[in-house]
C-alpha cells in the first residue's frame, strides 16, 4: 500500500463523494441515487416550484408509491381515502412536471421503495443513496452508504444532488460463528439492538461484519441493515463481496457486460482495510442467538422466545420502573408471563424489513401443511409486484392460502398504520416489521417484532411460539 | 425559514426517554401535502382519547402548557422515522425549542431546517429544567442562541453548544439550498470527474 492510513468501508465511500469541505468540517456530499415516495416529497417539490428550481439530475432519482395504498383488490379501483388519494396524485403530477422516472402503482415493478431499489439494480455498491425515509439504511446491504433524510433535505438533493453532512463515527458490529437452526438475520439484528439499545448507534455508521454476516444472503443483509436505524445509527452497511456481485448480475437495471466488470473491479477496493480504526466495536456470538421477539414498545425491549415478561420492579431506578410499567400497561402484560403464552390476534409478514422472496419462503415453509389458528388474522404482503410474481411461480401463494393466510398486493401495509391495513385498539400482532412503538400499527395496537418463520409459527399456534418446535411438514 | 435568536416562554415537562416520531405525529396524520396544520395532531395518541375528546392528563392539555414554546424531555428524543412532519407539528403547535440529553440524528437535522432549536444538555440539567417547567406559568425559561445559554427562572445561566454553521443558518433564518448552489461549479466538476472514473453511474 502507498502508506495511506487504513480506511473503513464507510470512510472510502465518504471520501469518494466529498465535493468540497467547508471551513467548519461540514462536507458537501454528492448523492448518487435519490429514491422518493409519496409521503415525504410533496412539500419538497413545492419548495422547488416556489423557488423556480429544477431537479438537477432526474435520471439519478426514482419515484414509487408505497406507504398510502391498499394491499387488496381495491387498489385497482382507485384510492378510497381522499387525503391518501391527493398525496398519491400529487406525486404523479410532480414526477411528470419535473421529469423524474416513476414506477406507477399498477406496474409490476411497483413495491416498497427499499425492496425495489436493490431488486431492480438501481442500488449499487459504493453509492451514496438517500430517501426521505429512515429505513433507507436497508440499501447499505449492497455495500453502499445509504441513509434517511427529512423533506428539507429531499428538496436539497433534488435541487443540488448533494447534502451538507458532518462525517459520522465508525462502529463495527462483529457477528462471528454459525447461527443455530431456526435463527435468521432478523434474530441477529434484534439481538444487536437488544445489546446496544435504541440509541447505541447514534452519530455512527455501523459496519456489520463477521462470518455470520458474510454467510447471509442479500435479503438477510438487507434485513440487518434495515434495522440499523432502530439502533439509532445513521446508516448500516455490509462490505460488498461475491454474494453482492452475483446478486447485482441478475438485476435488470444494473450495469451489464464490460461496464459491470469495471464496476466490480472498483467495488473490490471498498472493503475496510486491515487495521482501520473503529470508534466503537460490539461483538456477538451467532450460536448464542435464539429466536428473538420483542415484548415492549421499543425495539430494544427484546428477549429470546423462551423468555418471560420482565418485572418493572427490578429495573435500576424509578424513572425506568415507571417507563416499564407504562410499557406493560400498553402491551397488556404481566411480569413473569411466558412470552410463548401470549395469544395473537393478527400476524403480519411484510414491510421493508421482511417482505422479500426469501422471507416469504421462510413463512411458507412453516405454514406448509398446517392451518392458521382459529380467530387469528394472518396476512402476507410481498414487498413488490416482482416478489409476488416469483412467489406465485413457486406456488408459495397456494401453500400460504391453503393454510389460511391472506395473500396480498405489494406495499408498506400494516407496518405503519397510514393505509387501510391497521390494528384496532388492543389487538396483539406478531409482526415482521421494524417498529413496535405505541400506535405504530394503528392506535392502541400491540406489536411483537419477530422473524417471518416465527410469525408463521405464531399464526399456526395462535400465540407467540418457538419456531424450533415446528418441523417442516409435507403438504396434505 | 423563521430565524431563531432568543426565546422566552413557557416550558412543558415531558419526562420521557425515547419519545419517537410516531408519538410526536402518528403516521395516519402524514397525508397532508402542506407543511402546516400538523399542530392539532401533535402527540395525538396522548392528547386525545379514543372518542376524540381531550385527555386532561396530558401536559399539553393543561394550563399554561397549551401555550408552551419549549419542551423538556429525556434521552433519545425524536427516534424512529425520518418524517419532517415531527418538527413541523412541534412548530405548528408553537414549540420552537426542545431540550433533552440527546436527540436521534435525523430529527436533530430536521429541526434545524425548520427553525426548531434542539438543545443538548446533561441529564441532571434536564432534570432541573424539568422541575422548573413543572412550576408552570411562573417559571419562564429563556433560550438565547446568540449567547448559547439557557436562563433558568432563578437567573442561573446554563451554557450549551450548537454547531457553528447550523447556528449561523438558524440565527439568520437562511435556506441552505441557496448556500449550496454557490458551489455549483464544484458540483459540475465533481460530476465530470465521476463520469470518467465511474462510467456505469453516468446514466442514472
Amino acid at each position: 500500500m502507498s502508506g495511506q492510513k487504513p480506511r473503513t468501508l464507510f470512510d472510502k465511500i465518504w471520501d469518494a463523494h466529498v465535493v468540497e469541505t467547508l471551513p467548519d468540517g461540514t462536507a458537501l456530499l454528492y448523492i448518487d441515487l435519490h429514491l422518493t415516495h409519496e409521503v415525504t416529497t410533496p412539500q419538497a417539490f413545492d419548495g422547488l416550484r416556489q423557488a423556480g428550481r429544477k431537479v438537477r439530475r432526474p435520471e439519478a432519482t426514482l419515484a414509487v408509491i408505497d406507504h398510502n395504498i391498499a394491499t387488496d383488490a381495491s387498489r385497482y379501483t382507485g384510492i378510497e381515502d381522499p387525503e391518501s388519494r391527493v398525496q398519491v396524485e400529487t406525486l404523479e403530477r410532480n414526477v411528470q412536471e419535473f421529469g423524474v422516472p416513476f414506477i406507477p402503482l399498477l406496474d409490476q415493478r411497483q413495491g416498497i421503495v427499499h425492496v425495489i431499489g436493490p431488486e431492480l439494480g438501481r442500488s449499487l455498491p459504493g453509492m451514496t443513496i438517500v430517501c426521505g425515509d429512515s429505513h433507507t439504511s436497508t440499501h447499505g446491504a449492497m455495500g453502499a452508504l445509504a441513509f434517511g433524510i427529512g423533506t428539507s433535505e429531499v428538496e436539497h438533493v433534488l435541487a443540488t444532488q448533494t447534502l451538507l453532512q458532518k462525517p459520522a463515527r465508525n462502529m463495527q458490529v462483529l457477528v462471528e460463528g454459525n447461527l443455530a437452526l431456526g435463527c435468521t438475520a432478523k434474530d441477529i439484528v434484534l439481538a444487536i439492538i437488544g445489546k446496544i439499545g435504541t440509541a447505541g448507534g447514534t452519530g455512527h455508521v455501523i459496519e456489520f461484519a463477521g462470518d455470520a454476516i458474510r454467510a447471509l444472503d442479500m435479503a438477510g443483509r438487507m434485513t440487518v441493515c434495515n434495522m440499523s436505524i432502530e439502533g439509532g445509527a445513521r446508516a448500516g452497511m455490509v462490505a460488498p463481496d461475491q454474494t453482492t456481485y452475483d446478486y447485482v448480475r441478475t438485476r435488470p437495471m444494473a450495469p451489464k457486460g464490460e461496464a459491470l466488470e469495471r464496476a466490480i473491479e472498483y467495488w473490490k477496493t471498498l472493503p475496510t482495510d486491515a487495521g482501520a480504526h473503529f470508534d466503537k466495536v460490539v461483538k456477538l456470538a451467532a450460536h448464542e442467538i435464539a429466536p428473538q421477539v420483542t415484548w415492549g414498545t421499543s425495539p430494544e425491549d427484546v428477549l429470546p422466545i423462551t423468555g418471560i415478561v420482565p418485572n418493572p420492579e427490578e429495573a435500576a431506578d424509578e424513572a425506568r420502573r415507571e417507563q416499564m410499567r407504562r410499557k406493560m400497561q400498553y402491551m397488556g402484560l404481566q411480569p413473569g408471563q411466558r412470552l410463548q403464552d401470549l395469544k395473537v390476534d393478527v400476524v403480519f409478514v411484510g414491510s421493508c424489513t421482511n417482505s422479500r422472496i426469501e422471507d416469504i419462503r421462510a413463512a411458507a415453509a412453516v405454514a406448509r401443511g398446517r392451518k392458521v389458528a382459529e380467530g387469528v388474522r394472518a396476512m402476507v404482503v410481498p414487498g413488490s409486484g416482482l416478489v409476488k410474481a416469483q412467489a406465485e411461480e413457486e406456488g408459495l401463494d397456494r401453500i400460504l392460502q391453503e393454510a389460511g393466510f391472506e395473500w396480498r398486493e405489494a406495499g408498506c401495509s400494516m407496518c405503519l398504520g397510514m393505509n387501510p391495513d391497521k390494528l384496532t385498539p388492543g389487538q396483539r400482532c406478531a409482526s415482521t416489521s421494524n417498529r413496535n412503538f405505541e400506535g405504530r400499527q394503528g392506535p392502541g395496537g400491540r406489536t411483537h417484532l419477530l422473524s417471518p418463520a416465527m410469525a408463521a409459527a405464531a399464526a399456526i399456534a395462535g400465540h407467540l411460539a418457538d419456531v424450533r418446535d415446528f418441523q417442516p411438514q409435507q403438504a396434505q | 425559514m423563521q430565524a431563531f435568536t432568543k426565546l422566552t416562554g413557557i416550558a412543558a415537562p415531558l419526562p420521557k426517554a425515547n419519545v419517537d416520531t410516531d408519538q410526536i405525529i402518528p403516521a395516519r396524520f402524514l397525508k397532508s401535502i402542506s407543511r402546516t396544520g400538523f399542530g392539532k395532531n401533535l402527540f395525538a395518541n396522548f392528547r386525545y382519547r379514543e372518542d376524540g375528546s381531550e385527555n386532561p392528563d396530558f401536559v399539553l392539555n393543561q394550563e399554561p402548557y397549551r401555550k408552551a414554546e419549549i419542551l423538556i424531555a429525556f434521552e433519545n428524543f425524536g427516534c424512529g422515522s425520518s418524517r419532517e412532519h415531527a418538527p413541523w407539528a412541534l412548530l405548528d403547535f408553537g414549540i420552537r425549542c426542545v431540550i433533552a440529553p440527546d436527540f436521534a440524528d435525523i430529527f436533530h437535522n430536521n429541526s434545524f431546517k425548520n427553525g426548531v432549536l434542539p438543545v443538548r444538555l446533561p441529564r441532571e440539567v434536564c432534570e432541573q429544567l424539568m422541575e422548573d417547567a413543572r412550576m408552570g406559568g411562573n417559571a419562564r425559561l429563556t433560550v438565547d442562541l446568540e449567547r448559547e445559554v439557557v436562563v433558568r427562572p432563578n437567573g442561573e445561566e446554563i451554557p450549551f453548544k450548537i454547531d457553528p454553521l447550523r447556528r449561523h443558518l438558524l440565527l439568520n433564518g437562511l435556506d441552505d439550498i441557496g448556500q449550496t448552489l454557490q458551489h455549483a461549479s464544484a458540483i459540475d466538476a465533481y460530476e465530470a470527474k465521476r463520469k470518467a472514473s465511474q462510467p456505469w453511474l453516468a446514466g442514472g
Side-chain angles (χ1 to χ4, degrees):
Chain A
M1 306 300 275
S2 56
Q4 203 187 19
K5 196 172 151 228
R7 292 183 298 165
T8 64
L9 169 64
F10 164 71
D11 295 337
K12 292 181 191 183
I13 298 180
W14 175 274
D15 292 348
H17 289 84
V18 174
V19 173
E20 259 186 328
T21 306
L22 308 184
D24 75 328
T26 303
L28 189 62
L29 194 72
Y30 195 79
I31 302 303
D32 292 320
L33 176 64
H34 186 188
L35 301 165
T36 57
H37 62 75
E38 77 276 18
V39 183
T40 55
T41 53
Q43 298 85 351
F45 282 112
D46 215 36
L48 292 184
R49 207 176 283 119
Q50 282 171 20
R53 289 171 178 147
K54 290 188 160 87
V55 175
R56 183 179 170 97
R57 291 192 65 223
E59 70 277 16
T61 315
L62 180 65
V64 71
I65 291 161
D66 56 5
H67 281 61
N68 265 284
I69 45 174
T71 59
D72 61 11
S74 73
R75 75 197 295 161
Y76 297 106
T77 53
I79 299 170
E80 214 172 290
D81 179 273
E83 284 184 305
S84 290
R85 192 169 59 235
V86 167
Q87 204 167 57
V88 166
E89 287 170 358
T90 302
L91 181 64
E92 288 167 348
R93 247 197 335 273
N94 282 331
V95 294
Q96 197 160 22
E97 180 181 337
F98 289 92
V100 169
F102 174 59
I103 299 177
L105 181 54
L106 302 184
D107 189 307
Q108 196 188 30
R109 298 168 304 166
Q110 180 270 339
I112 306 173
V113 66
H114 308 309
V115 173
I116 69 165
E119 177 177 77
L120 295 176
R122 287 300 281 115
S123 309
L124 297 173
M127 275 184 162
T128 46
I129 302 172
V130 296
C131 173
D133 195 291
S134 60
H135 292 112
T136 309
S137 58
T138 311
H139 308 261
M142 302 299 301
L145 173 60
F147 52 94
I149 57 177
T151 299
S152 295
E153 291 185 318
V154 167
E155 186 180 337
H156 194 280
V157 177
L158 288 172
T160 70
Q161 207 57 39
T162 64
L163 274 178
L164 290 163
Q165 289 277 307
K166 278 273 169 69
R169 289 188 289 275
N170 280 288
M171 175 166 173
Q172 186 185 44
V173 175
L174 266 174
V175 191
E176 298 285 6
N178 295 319
L179 272 181
L181 199 68
C183 298
T184 65
K186 186 63 165 282
D187 303 300
I188 293 181
V189 71
L190 286 171
I192 292 169
I193 295 164
K195 185 164 174 137
I196 68 173
T198 51
T202 302
H204 293 77
V205 167
I206 298 177
E207 181 180 346
F208 298 97
D211 44 17
I213 299 292
R214 277 290 125 238
L216 294 174
D217 57 24
M218 291 309 291
R221 295 178 187 186
M222 288 179 216
T223 300
V224 171
C225 290
N226 172 276
M227 288 190 72
S228 311
I229 182 74
E230 265 47 77
R234 287 203 195 165
M237 39 201 334
V238 174
D241 60 10
Q242 197 57 44
T243 305
T244 322
Y245 312 140
D246 292 346
Y247 177 90
V248 172
R249 260 179 222 290
T250 61
R251 304 292 122 193
M253 293 164 92
K256 300 265 180 289
E258 207 178 316
L260 176 62
E261 298 317 314
R262 194 167 161 194
I264 291 177
E265 214 175 293
Y266 169 66
W267 297 339
K268 285 184 173 168
T269 68
L270 293 175
T272 295
D273 297 328
H277 174 72
F278 285 94
D279 302 279
K280 211 167 174 179
V281 177
V282 172
K283 293 182 182 176
L284 277 85
H287 73 272
E288 289 176 4
I289 299 173
Q292 304 279 307
V293 58
T294 61
W295 59 268
T297 53
S298 163
E300 70 186 16
D301 303 332
V302 67
L303 286 169
I305 180 64
T306 49
I308 57 167
V309 176
N311 187 347
E313 303 317 312
E314 289 167 12
D317 53 67
E318 185 47 32
R320 270 173 236 270
R321 284 193 282 277
E322 185 45 42
Q323 202 174 2
M324 269 178 84
R325 283 185 212 116
R326 162 82 199 170
K327 287 175 193 241
M328 313 280 265
Q329 188 198 9
Y330 182 84
M331 293 297 291
L333 298 175
Q334 297 298 325
Q337 260 181 311
R338 279 166 24 105
L339 292 172
Q340 292 187 63
D341 291 341
L342 298 177
K343 289 203 159 38
V344 298
D345 305 295
V346 178
V347 170
F348 170 56
V349 177
S351 86
C352 56
T353 315
N354 282 122
S355 64
R356 297 177 183 85
I357 188 67
E358 293 82 353
D359 300 314
I360 292 170
R361 285 179 193 142
V366 174
R368 189 185 183 97
R370 297 189 169 102
K371 292 284 180 208
V372 171
E374 212 174 295
V376 174
R377 178 189 183 198
M379 55 200 284
V380 179
V381 185
S384 72
L386 290 172
V387 169
K388 182 168 189 259
Q390 172 72 27
E392 289 173 354
E393 200 179 300
E394 296 179 18
L396 304 178
D397 58 323
R398 200 174 36 75
I399 293 170
L400 289 161
Q401 284 175 300
E402 278 172 9
F405 287 81
E406 296 172 25
W407 178 245
R408 301 179 72 93
E409 304 288 337
C412 295
S413 186
M414 204 183 266
C415 176
L416 85 166
M418 80 172 291
N419 57 63
D421 303 339
K422 276 185 202 152
L423 295 179
T424 56
Q427 275 189 327
R428 190 178 298 285
C429 179
S431 177
T432 67
S433 55
N434 39 58
R435 290 194 177 126
N436 51 349
F437 297 161
E438 283 187 27
R440 170 76 179 183
Q441 294 189 288
R446 295 165 170 165
T447 305
H448 296 274
L449 302 175
L450 33 57
S451 75
M454 285 281 286
I460 306 297
H463 51 80
L464 296 180
D466 191 335
V467 69
R468 293 171 297 190
D469 298 336
F470 285 72
Q471 296 301 318
Q473 287 194 358
Q474 290 305 306
Q476 286 158 0
Chain B
M1 185 181 76
Q2 199 188 340
F4 188 111
T5 48
K6 182 174 167 179
L7 167 70
T8 298
I10 291 165
L14 189 67
K16 289 183 72 172
N18 298 316
V19 174
D20 60 68
T21 51
D22 279 83
Q23 293 175 36
I24 299 171
I25 180 100
R28 61 187 182 281
F29 302 117
L30 306 188
K31 296 179 182 183
S32 163
I33 58 168
S34 122
R35 283 175 193 255
T36 54
F38 294 101
K40 63 178 180 293
N41 293 317
L42 175 71
F43 294 114
N45 290 348
F46 303 141
R47 255 166 93 198
Y48 307 108
R49 298 190 179 113
E50 256 174 66
D51 64 3
S53 65
E54 276 192 2
N55 171 9
D57 297 336
F58 188 65
V59 61
L60 297 183
N61 290 334
Q62 298 162 357
E63 294 299 346
Y65 304 114
R66 288 176 188 274
K67 295 197 180 65
E69 292 176 271
I70 300 165
L71 193 65
I72 319 284
F74 289 144
E75 288 81 3
N76 202 26
F77 189 91
C79 60
S81 123
S82 67
R83 61 189 68 162
E84 200 156 318
H85 311 69
W88 292 340
L90 288 166
L91 192 63
D92 197 55
F93 179 89
I95 290 172
R96 295 215 54 208
C97 174
V98 183
I99 302 177
D102 54 51
F103 295 86
D105 286 327
I106 306 178
F107 175 84
H108 192 249
N109 257 337
N110 286 343
S111 297
F112 283 104
K113 315 273 182 198
N114 291 283
V116 174
L117 176 66
V119 175
R120 284 193 187 112
L121 287 172
R123 168 88 187 203
E124 316 81 76
V125 177
C126 290
E127 281 171 3
Q128 287 175 344
L129 296 175
M130 197 72 77
E131 287 311 313
D132 290 343
R134 287 193 173 110
M135 290 157 62
N138 301 322
R140 285 164 192 256
L141 291 182
T142 295
V143 181
D144 187 339
L145 180 59
E146 190 89 57
R147 294 174 52 226
E148 293 180 291
V149 289
V150 174
V151 187
R152 294 181 62 195
N154 66 6
E156 185 194 347
E157 296 199 344
I158 300 164
F160 62 85
K161 271 323 263 182
I162 299 288
D163 174 83
L165 177 64
R166 285 178 156 154
R167 178 169 167 270
H168 169 75
L169 293 171
L170 207 48
L171 281 173
N172 297 289
L174 294 177
D175 157 8
D176 53 19
I177 295 180
Q179 164 126 347
T180 296
L181 286 173
Q182 293 172 6
H183 301 266
S185 59
I187 302 173
D188 290 339
Y190 178 91
E191 282 177 345
K193 192 182 77 182
R194 173 181 172 276
K195 198 169 176 178
S197 64
Q198 297 183 59
W200 61 90
L201 296 178

